[in-house]
Structure formats: structure tokens, C-alpha cells
Amino acid sequence: MQLLEEDRKPDSRPTVPAFVETSVYRRITAKVALLGKLGGLGYIIGPTGLGKTTILRQLARRGGFEHPDGLRPSTAYWRCSGSERDKKAIVGGVRDAFGLREYVPRHVFRELREYCAGGSGAVFLLVDEAQHLTRGAISLLRTMSDDGLRVVLCGNRSTLGERFTWGTNDFRSEAAWDDEWAQISSRSVFTVELDKPAREDVLALVTGAGVPASDRAALSVLWKVSQSGEGLRRVATLLRTALEDPDGYPYRAEHLMELWDEQQRQSRPRGLA
């Protein structure tokens, strides 16, 4: 999704694109397409700032299918939270996402089976922030996947010592984590584990925002920012801040470095600045 220089108006102000088609996007969409054919569950794991939420929301914008009651969504996005993470929340989220009428859980399951069977294609539920889910909620989602719903669980496996512990706050040894993850993912169709942004993805974002590919100094600063934490999100924030400068070329390397240093100072806990 890179913008060509000749497509830009000379006097136009660059903007940071809301979405770029990165290698991570292509990787995830290929896996989701496979899930659509095979059914079941898929897992996406990675630190914040890599575009996982943006990709899920982009996938959820896909069209629906004709239903006797009208056009129905084929893909729904649902964001888990600390207070909305148990089986009751899952049932309510699925009912609201697909416009189901039933409220009693077993009736919701029956209606969901009919909903999945009645469409012209696969039906997906994309669950964001899935690290907050309780084990009971995950078990319920497995049952729903057996009934025809394609489920993608996306969550954060972030800093050193923290693990995707699915609704708990404890810290696990590597051996305990490996045993638990093997049980959790035993029925998954795919698991995508993400790390830091790839160079091509950083380049796609920054050139899409108007940074010339020939500006090696600016690209060097932005690459450093992308590898320091929060990935593409941090880069996009820095680019938007740089665009607030009304004078001249906003992406001067010195200017970007000054903004980056200031953002780092502001993000430090008090007493450590």
C-alpha cells in the first residue's frame, strides 16, 4: 500500500495512512483463509504495536451474506476486556455480533449452528485482547468452533517473564508455559507468533506517510524507533507528531530524533527522568 511519489500533489501535506498492507497482514489473511476452509480455531500472538488490532478490524469489514432476515455479517470483531472475559460475556458478545435472538445459552448455541450453516460462506469471530479470557471462556469458544464458527483468538505475549496465561496474572516457568500452551493450542488450525516489525513493513508505513525512500537519515531514525517497543504504533505516533510542524519538510531526521527523545522522556515513570 505504498504511495508513489508521482501520485502526490506537490503542494499536498502528507498524512499517516490508517492502514497499510504489511507482510503481517498478508500472513494473517492467508491463515484466516485456511481457517475458513478447514474450520476450527486460530491463534495470533505478539507484542503491542504490530498492527494486530488494525488487521482484525480490517478483516471484520468484509461483506456479509444473504439471510432470510436480510444481509448478515460473515465476520465479527469482539474485543475482550478485564470485565468482559468470561463465558457469559462470550455468549452475549456472539449474540450481539451476529444479531441472534435467543438469550438462553443452549438456545444461542442452536441458533448459532443454524446461522453458520445458513450462510453462503464461513462465519468468523475475531476475538481481540484474548489474553484476558478465562479458561472457561476459551473452552466455550472451542465448543462454538465445533459447531461451525471459525474463531480467531488474538492476544499479547509481551515483555520478558510474562506469558499468555489466559485469564490469570501469575508468572510461569518456561516448562509450565510450554505444557499449558500445548494443551491450549492442541486443536488450533494455525498459530501465528509475531515479534518485532519487519523492515519491509516499517518501510511500507513510512513511505505511505510521505517519507521518501531515498531519505536514509529519516528512515534510519524511524527503523530504530520501530525496534524499541510498540513497533509500528510508535512509528505512526511519531510521524503524526512530526506532521504538526507547519513549516517545511516535517520528516527531517534531526526533528524526528528530537520528538522521539521527548516522547521517551514523557513515557518514563516519574523519578526516572
Side-chain angles (χ1 to χ4, degrees):
M1 193 175 171
Q2 300 182 29
L3 306 182
L4 301 178
E5 283 297 316
E6 57 265 32
D7 293 335
R8 295 187 180 280
K9 297 180 181 179
D11 58 345
S12 65
R13 191 71 172 170
T15 59
V16 180
F19 173 77
V20 291
E21 187 174 307
T22 62
S23 64
V24 173
Y25 173 78
R26 293 189 292 272
R27 181 181 173 190
I28 289 176
T29 52
K31 295 295 187 181
V32 170
L34 176 64
L35 184 68
K37 295 178 180 179
L38 300 180
L41 298 95
Y43 299 92
I44 303 169
I45 305 172
T48 60
L50 293 181
K52 301 188 302 297
T53 295
T54 300
I55 291 171
L56 291 188
R57 288 176 171 166
Q58 188 73 15
L59 291 174
R61 293 190 180 100
R62 299 184 299 185
F65 58 83
E66 290 296 334
H67 187 272
D69 295 333
L71 188 67
R72 291 290 191 91
S74 61
T75 306
Y77 171 87
W78 185 72
R79 187 181 181 90
C80 183
S81 69
S83 59
E84 295 286 324
R85 65 195 189 101
D86 58 9
K87 291 192 290 185
K88 181 179 179 181
I90 291 294
V91 172
V94 167
R95 184 184 63 237
D96 294 342
F98 296 110
L100 306 182
R101 298 173 177 175
E102 299 290 350
Y103 283 85
V104 178
R106 67 176 183 276
H107 296 163
V108 172
F109 301 152
R110 183 189 64 221
E111 188 177 5
L112 179 63
R113 285 194 296 270
E114 295 172 353
Y115 187 95
C116 293
S120 57
V123 179
F124 295 86
L125 177 66
L126 313 177
V127 181
D128 201 3
E129 300 293 341
Q131 71 272 11
H132 297 301
L133 290 170
T134 64
R135 291 176 178 84
I138 294 175
S139 177
L140 183 61
L141 287 168
R142 284 177 172 174
T143 300
M144 290 181 173
S145 71
D146 290 339
D147 289 340
L149 182 66
R150 275 66 168 174
V151 179
V152 177
L153 300 179
C154 180
N156 181 22
R157 184 183 182 183
S158 53
T159 58
L160 183 64
E162 291 181 328
R163 290 296 179 264
F164 206 146
T165 52
W166 302 95
T168 66
N169 296 318
D170 57 332
F171 293 82
R172 306 297 179 88
S173 68
E174 285 294 328
W177 156 248
D178 290 341
D179 289 343
E180 182 171 348
W181 179 245
Q183 295 178 23
I184 291 172
S185 59
S186 61
R187 294 172 62 185
S188 66
V189 173
F190 71 83
T191 299
V192 175
E193 294 200 46
L194 306 173
D195 193 8
K196 293 183 178 181
R199 187 175 293 274
E200 65 178 287
D201 294 345
V202 177
L203 186 63
L205 173 60
V206 301
T207 55
V211 181
S214 58
D215 190 344
R216 295 184 177 274
L219 293 177
S220 178
V221 173
L222 294 167
W223 170 250
K224 179 180 178 181
V225 171
S226 75
Q227 302 301 297
S228 62
E230 295 192 32
L232 298 179
R233 180 188 301 169
R234 180 68 72 177
V235 174
T237 299
L238 184 63
L239 292 171
R240 292 189 182 98
T241 304
L243 285 170
E244 295 174 2
D245 184 355
D247 300 321
Y249 176 61
Y251 299 139
R252 300 182 308 278
E254 298 82 1
H255 181 47
L256 291 172
M257 201 67 219
E258 289 173 1
L259 293 175
W260 172 231
D261 289 340
E262 178 61 26
Q263 289 182 5
Q264 286 182 303
R265 283 194 294 270
Q266 292 178 356
S267 64
R268 291 192 190 106
R270 292 185 178 179
L272 297 180

